[in-house]
Each structure stands twice: as structure tokens, then as C-alpha cells.
């Protein structure tokens, strides 16, 4: 790893007890000791990128998702070639050595052990291409694990978190706006903490809530949610609970994620109740078959894993859209169907239509002038008068 103080490339024996052997300064994280593959330089670089070089304030939850694998996790298989080779080599050596000791009890025991190792090796080779059973894919850390392993170690070493990073639990909620212009509903407290830390509530006079029951009556509502069955149902429930009021679904949709899964953090939950999918099909009928299948396989994407700059832009645009005055209606399109007669509103027959058109000169050519007219001019167009002799 690279020393965060002197930039030396340190091997394991040169960084014992999280201390550089060159500059003698302590660092917070060792990729081997902490078992997370993290080190101080990487944490700083990722935090700088998330915070847009310090222009934004990001939360620890967003940092944890940024360190997560993007796209679908690599396929796992039941067998492993390296394990198979590691079992085969000592098995063959033990079998050859046991031939010289075959008459003794130890030699017979050695034969059994060698045959067992060779058998396990053959089994590993046979299972190399067999996929492992599906397992739930969770985040690498729980919130508590990430705070205790990463954030607490960082505070103990440097005295404070990296610039631009805050603990989401410590972001003050702040007073609600005196005259809120909108309500923003998001169950994820990581996101609401991020919005508060970046002045979203003050900038848009927004009331940030975590539960639909907390939304005041009469306010336009913006809904932010994960690309998950629960998220899509939250938006549907918000519309159903507020008929006649403006509700804007600005959450992350499954349609957006399926455009390119490799750009998003994909997690998996194989323990959802079946009733959830039944309710999803009834409440959100616009989901396509591939989108429902993706949900049925257990996949979902957290909204907090989006780039903070993009997430804030989505929330800003949603607030501007829902508080903007309604646009004036465009002129109604020309009515199609039979023309109505001025009398009694009955349908007008074609003969009446033609008579009215002739009365106003619609699509008719001017009459030709007399033969003695000056210049002898004639109209361009169909021959409406008598032609030349």
C-alpha cells in the first residue's frame, strides 16, 4: 500500500501496527489488518470524487456505497481449479510415499489419506463449471460495521473525518420552513441527511419527511426512492393517498437501471414475501415483464449509491418542476368528425356543407373578365369561362 504521509510503497513488514517504517507516522487503515482492502489514500480519493472536490458534503452511507462493487457480482462456481491442484499434488506425493511403507500400518493410513485428497481434488475439477447456488448479495458492511471499522479508526488517527465527509447521524435536522413550498418524502435517512447538509431544505423551502403519514395535507409532494419493489410501491401509495394533489415520482426507476446495470450498485434480497410482488403488479401495472422478472430475481439498487452530484441535481429539478406554475394549455386541436349544422346541432349533410363553402367563396377561382376587358387578362387556373373559339 501507499503511505498517505510520505507516499512510499509499503510492503507488509514495512507497515507493522499501522505505522510507516520510513516516516514513522501512523495511518488509519491497513488493507490486510482490517480485512476490507481499504487504505487511507483510496478513502481520500473516493471522498474527493464524491464531494466534487469539496463543493458538496457527502455522508458516510454514500461513501460506503461508493466502495461497493458496481454491476452484478462475479459468477461463483462450486469448484475451484486452484483448490483442486492444491489437493492433487500432496495426494500424489503421499500416494507415492506410501508405496514404500505399504506393509506397515502407517503406510496403509497414508494410502487412505492420499486417496481421500485425490478424490476431493477430482471432485473440485468436476465442479469447476457448475454455478454455485444463489445467495443474497448484501452491502459489504452494515452501517455500524463501516462506522466502527472505518470512521472510528479514521477519527482516532486524524482527529476528524476527511474534508467533505460527515456522519449522517450527526447532521442536524434543522427547523422546518415557516411556509413550506413542497414536501419531499424519502425513507432513506442517508439521503435526507445529504440533502440537509447541502442546504436543500432552505433553498427550496422543502419539508423533508421519512413516512407518508408525516406529509402535511395540501402540499405538493416529491417522492425519492430506491429502484426496488418497496420504492415503486411508495410512489404508487403516495398518488393513491393524495388524489387531486401534485405528486412527482423522482425516484430511481428499474427502467433506468436496466439500461446499463454496470453503472449501478446492485444488491440482492431473496427473502421478499410473495405478497409484495402481487401488490406490485396491481399497484404498478406499467412495469414490463423484464422489469418484474428483475425484481422477482431479488435485485434492487439503492438511491444513495448514485453519485451525490447527480442525486442533488435530480432533487433540485424535481423541486423546481413541482413548484412551477402550471403551463398555459395549448389551443385545442381541430375537432374531427362530422361538421355540425348551425341549426339544432344536427350533423350537416355534404350538400349543405358545399353550399356554405360556395357562399363564402371557399376554394373557388375568380370569374374570368369580359372579352373587352383591358389587357384581355384571364385567370390562371381551371377554365371557368368559355374558352377561345
Amino acid at each position: 500500500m501507499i503511505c498517505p504521509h510520505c507516499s512510499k510503497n509499503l510492503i507488509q513488514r514495512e507497515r507493522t501496527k499501522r505505522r510507516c517504517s520510513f516516516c514513522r507516522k501512523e495511518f488509519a487503515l491497513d488493507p490486510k489488518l482490517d480485512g476490507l482492502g481499504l487504505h487511507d489514500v483510496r478513502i481520500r480519493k473516493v471522498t474527493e470524487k464524491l464531494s466534487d472536490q469539496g463543493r458538496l458534503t457527502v455522508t458516510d452511507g454514500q461513501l460506503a456505497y461508493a466502495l461497493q462493487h458496481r454491476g452484478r457480482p462475479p459468477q461463483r462456481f462450486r469448484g475451484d481449479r486452484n483448490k483442486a491442484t492444491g489437493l492433487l499434488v500432496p495426494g500424489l506425493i503421499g500416494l507415492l510415499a506410501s508405496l514404500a511403507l505399504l506393509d506397515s500400518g502407517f503406510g496403509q493410513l497414508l494410502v487412505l489419506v492420499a486417496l481421500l485428497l485425490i478424490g476431493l481434488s477430482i471432485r473440485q475439477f468436476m465442479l469447476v463449471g457448475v454455478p454455485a447456488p444463489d445467495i443474497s448479495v448484501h452491502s459489504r458492511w452494515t452501517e455500524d460495521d463501516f462506522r466502527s471499522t472505518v470512521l472510528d479508526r479514521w477519527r482516532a488517527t486524524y482527529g476528524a473525518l476527511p474534508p467533505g465527509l460527515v456522519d449522517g447521524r450527526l447532521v442536524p435536522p434543522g427547523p422546518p420552513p415557516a411556509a413550506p413550498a413542497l414536501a419531499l418524502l424519502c425513507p432513506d435517512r442517508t439521503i435526507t441527511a445529504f440533502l440537509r447538509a447541502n442546504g436543500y431544505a432552505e433553498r427550496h423551502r422543502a419539508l423533508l419527511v421519512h413516512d407518508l403519514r408525516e406529509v402535511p395535507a395540501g402540499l405538493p409532494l416529491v417522492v425519492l426512492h430506491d429502484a426496488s419493489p418497496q420504492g415503486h410501491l411508495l410512489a404508487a401509495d403516495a398518488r393513491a393517498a393524495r388524489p387531486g394533489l401534485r405528486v412527482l415520482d423522482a425516484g430511481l426507476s428499474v427502467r433506468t437501471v436496466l439500461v446499463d446495470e454496470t453503472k449501478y450498485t446492485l444488491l440482492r434480497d431473496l427473502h421478499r414475501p410473495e405478497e409484495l410482488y402481487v401488490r406490485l403488479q396491481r399497484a404498478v401495472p406499467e412495469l414490463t415483464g423484464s422489469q418484474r422478472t428483475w425484481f422477482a430475481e431479488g435485485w434492487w439498487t439503492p438511491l444513495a449509491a448514485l453519485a451525490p452530484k447527480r442525486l442533488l441535481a435530480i432533487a433540485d429539478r424535481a423541486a423546481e418542476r413541482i413548484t412551477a406554475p402550471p403551463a398555459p394549455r395549448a389551443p385545442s386541436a381541430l375537432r374531427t368528425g362530422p361538421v355540425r349544422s348551425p341549426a339544432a346541432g344536427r350533423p350537416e349533410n355534404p350538400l349543405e356543407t358545399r353550399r356554405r363553402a360556395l357562399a363564402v367563396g371557399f376554394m373557388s377561382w375568380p370569374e374570368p373578365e369580359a372579352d373587352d376587358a383591358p389587357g384581355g387578362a384571364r385567370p390562371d387556373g381551371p377554365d371557368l369561362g368559355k374558352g377561345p373559339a
Side-chain angles (χ1 to χ4, degrees), residues 13 16 20 50 52 95 107 110 118 145 154 170 173 201 240 252 291 303 350 354-355 365 387-388:
R13 67 170 181 267
T16 56
C20 175
L50 289 178
D52 194 20
L95 183 62
L110 189 59
I118 293 173
D145 289 342
W154 195 282
L170 305 180
L252 184 60
Q291 294 166 1
L303 181 64
R354 184 171 181 178
R355 285 174 180 169
W365 291 93

Side-chain angles (χ1 to χ4, degrees), residues 3 19 23 59 120 130 134 161 164 198-199 222 244 259 278 286 296 298 308 315 332 383:
C3 175
R19 188 176 294 276
C23 65
T59 66
L120 292 175
V130 179
D134 289 334
L161 295 179
N198 290 278
V222 173
V259 171
V278 175
E286 62 269 19
S332 58
D383 187 8

